[in-house]
Amino acid sequence: MLYVRNFPRPRLAVSACLNQKPVRYNAQTVKDEFILRLLPYCEVIDVCPEVEIGLGVPRDRVIVYLLDDGFGLSQPSTGLELTERMKSFSESFLGSLPEVDGFILKSKSPSCGVSNTSVYKDREGKQFHSKGKGLFAIKVLEKHPMVPVEDEGRLKNPELKEHFLVKIFAIADIRESLGKVRRVKELMDFHQRYKYLLMAHSQVKLKEMGRLVASTKEENLKESLEKYRLLFLQALKRKPSIGQHANTIFHIFGHLSSRLKERERAHFYKLVEGYKGGKVEHRTLIELLKSLAYRFDVDYLLNQAYLEPYPAELI
Ligand code: SF4
């Protein structure tokens, strides 16, 4: 029987102009195919910081400029100084958010840009200084250091997109699943399901989490869950290298190799070498491992988040 995973719904805060509301300076939206496909799988909280601080639609250009101790926001055509308004809106909006699993913001924007926002030396926006971030995005990164924060521009990079998807579905899973844990056994089951995904991200954290789970008793379950959640988020922070993926793939293959013929094993090793050399895609190896797990009925592997970290339709 085909193994069907029930995916959680990541809760994302998203710039409202991305496929949703015509709130840009020119009263348009921004069309983005990937975000259009992703959002139906998510619980979306949309926000347009510039509308929220009282700027109209359409509106004149807003810019980021340098201050002695950070960055400011202004509207050169009207002379409006917007720094304090944007900072105070960002504080109150982010403070009132429920627990979120990630952010997708609009690139280049003086408010939302996570990357490529033009920063000027002066509040009239005449002298370009450098590329940086928008004021709202700066606050998001400061207040939510443990969840992924990306913009639609960076998500065009396939590796960043893959890592973003893995993280938002894993973080949503820990938010939903750990909230329901009442017994140590349920924490053990969760940890087992994420063993290889955690291994790919950080062997050190995986061992630390393993020790934590092993030492958890019913009496200290609540305390352990909080520690476990933090370690989980820390483990997912860094994108796994090719070497870390290859190592994880070998560990998974260890459950299957003794049931294969010598020629099949040799073929697998050749594919892994191809992956390390950039000639074989990671997905090819994952699909091969899944096929083998089906062939030998290894439910323990089919249950692993590493083999299907997010809905296949999003690939
Ligand atoms: S980039 Fe941000 S501030 Fe600008 S229109 Fe989009 S949501 Fe509003």
Side-chain angles (χ1 to χ4, degrees):
M1 202 174 68
L2 202 61
Y3 189 85
V4 182
R5 235 195 113 184
N6 288 321
F7 288 98
R9 277 174 81 76
R11 191 182 287 146
L12 295 183
V14 180
S15 290
C17 62
L18 290 171
N19 293 316
Q20 301 175 85
K21 296 179 179 162
V23 286
R24 291 194 83 201
Y25 68 94
N26 57 2
Q28 306 272 314
T29 55
V30 178
K31 297 256 174 296
D32 184 283
E33 277 303 315
F34 167 64
I35 294 171
L36 206 56
R37 279 195 295 128
L38 172 64
L39 294 190
Y41 292 86
C42 303
E43 182 187 327
V44 177
I45 300 167
D46 61 47
V47 58
C48 176
E50 288 174 18
V51 166
E52 293 295 335
I53 64 168
L55 298 176
V57 179
R59 58 187 169 273
D60 286 346
R61 179 174 81 125
V62 169
I63 60 135
V64 178
Y65 67 96
L66 282 182
L67 290 171
D68 290 342
D69 57 349
F71 300 95
L73 193 71
S74 71
Q75 191 173 46
S77 65
T78 56
L80 270 179
E81 170 51 54
L82 301 164
T83 312
E84 283 315 311
R85 264 201 248 174
M86 184 56 84
K87 281 187 177 168
S88 111
F89 163 72
S90 305
E91 289 276 352
S92 74
F93 173 78
L94 296 171
S96 68
L97 272 183
E99 197 177 337
V100 288
D101 308 314
F103 289 79
I104 305 182
L105 303 178
K106 169 74 188 70
S107 67
K108 301 181 185 172
S109 152
S111 305
C112 295
V114 181
S115 62
N116 264 325
T117 296
S118 294
V119 178
Y120 294 86
K121 290 180 187 164
D122 57 310
R123 63 194 294 273
E124 286 76 38
K126 288 183 179 148
Q127 293 182 65
F128 175 79
H129 176 263
S130 58
K131 291 289 182 186
K133 300 181 191 344
L135 251 66
F136 177 69
I138 290 172
K139 268 285 175 241
V140 169
L141 290 161
E142 185 187 308
K143 299 272 177 198
H144 290 270
M146 302 310 285
V147 301
V149 180
E150 287 293 0
D151 63 41
E152 91 297 351
R154 282 171 51 86
L155 289 175
K156 303 239 181 299
N157 174 318
E159 285 183 15
L160 291 180
K161 187 198 296 183
E162 167 77 17
H163 191 47
F164 182 77
L165 285 173
V166 169
K167 285 208 291 189
I168 59 169
F169 280 92
I171 293 172
D173 203 0
I174 199 167
R175 174 174 55 77
E176 287 187 4
S177 300
L178 289 202
K180 294 179 200 145
V181 165
R182 298 289 174 267
R183 311 291 307 270
V184 176
K185 169 79 172 62
E186 290 158 357
L187 173 61
M188 291 165 95
D189 289 346
F190 181 89
H191 185 62
Q192 190 179 67
R193 188 150 52 89
Y194 274 89
K195 176 178 170 179
Y196 291 112
L197 193 132
L198 290 166
M199 180 184 283
H201 283 80
S202 169
Q203 294 245 35
V204 174
K205 290 284 175 221
L206 174 66
K207 281 185 190 145
E208 207 177 327
M209 294 164 87
R211 284 195 295 271
L212 176 68
V213 173
S215 66
T216 299
K217 306 271 179 289
E218 302 297 341
E219 309 85 77
N220 64 356
L221 177 60
K222 203 168 162 222
E223 196 184 313
S224 284
L225 288 176
E226 207 31 63
K227 287 185 189 157
Y228 186 90
R229 184 178 160 279
L230 190 61
L231 287 168
F232 189 90
L233 295 176
Q234 288 169 349
L236 290 186
K237 276 231 52 116
R238 285 186 52 204
K239 188 161 69 67
S241 65
I242 287 181
Q244 285 171 302
H245 275 305
N247 176 56
T248 305
I249 284 165
F250 274 129
H251 272 85
I252 296 175
F253 188 62
H255 291 271
L256 303 157
S257 62
S258 63
R259 310 175 208 213
L260 297 175
K261 293 179 193 151
E262 189 54 45
R263 278 160 34 133
E264 290 176 304
R265 280 198 290 273
H267 175 61
F268 183 82
Y269 295 139
K270 200 172 150 205
L271 285 177
V272 177
E273 284 311 307
Y275 168 62
K276 286 185 186 167
K279 295 196 177 83
V280 172
E281 282 192 26
H282 179 251
R283 180 138 306 281
T284 306
L285 293 170
I286 296 299
E287 290 306 326
L288 179 52
L289 288 172
K290 263 162 66 176
S291 300
L292 292 171
Y294 274 123
R295 182 165 136 202
F296 299 118
D297 285 324
V298 189
D299 284 349
Y300 168 69
L301 292 183
L302 291 169
N303 197 25
Q304 286 295 322
Y306 185 72
L307 294 188
E308 198 170 356
Y310 53 81
E313 297 79 5
L314 292 173
I315 291 166

